[in-house]
Amino acid sequence: LAPAAYEAWLRAQQRPARPPATPLEVRGQQQLAALRCTACHTVRGFAQAALDAVEGDAGGPDLTHLASRRMLGGGVVRNDADGLRAWITDVQRLKPGARMPAYAHLDAETLDALVAYLGSLR
């Protein structure tokens, strides 16, 4: 990127996440906390605990602008609804040794809510 474009991108990345816009996204945000995803992941403006606990390395990636990424897991899977579902439920198949546990036990409604919320984080 040109320096000005990079600076604009960097400023955008430093902004907090926008609040959930739909009831499904609200439920997804609630599930992110209830499932303790926020013990490792930060969502600026919502889940600061991980960031505040270990500044610079909360254990898992910062999810604040997750939906702006093309790929998940360092290029392992596309960052779309299907990719998010696969990553959440079967991460070890996609990236053996990843520090994130699989959440295959989640019911479809909870998984849909998480995917909706994470997919809204631009």
Side-chain angles (χ1 to χ4, degrees), residues 53-109:
V54 187
E55 188 64 40
D57 183 11
D62 182 334
L63 302 179
T64 304
H65 300 290
L66 179 72
S68 68
R69 302 175 195 159
R70 286 189 23 234
M71 303 294 285
L72 299 172
V76 171
V77 66
R78 283 188 62 78
N79 186 9
D80 58 19
D82 291 336
L84 280 169
R85 281 185 183 83
W87 186 262
I88 293 167
T89 60
D90 203 8
V91 64
Q92 294 303 316
R93 179 183 61 79
L94 296 170
K95 191 169 185 174
R99 295 189 301 181
M100 182 174 148
Y103 288 86
H105 64 282
L106 295 179
D107 61 75
E109 289 178 355

Side-chain angles (χ1 to χ4, degrees), residues 39-59:
C40 296
H41 295 287
T42 293
V43 178
R44 272 180 267 116
F46 167 65
Q48 286 290 134
L51 184 65
D52 294 342
V54 187
E55 188 64 40
D57 183 11

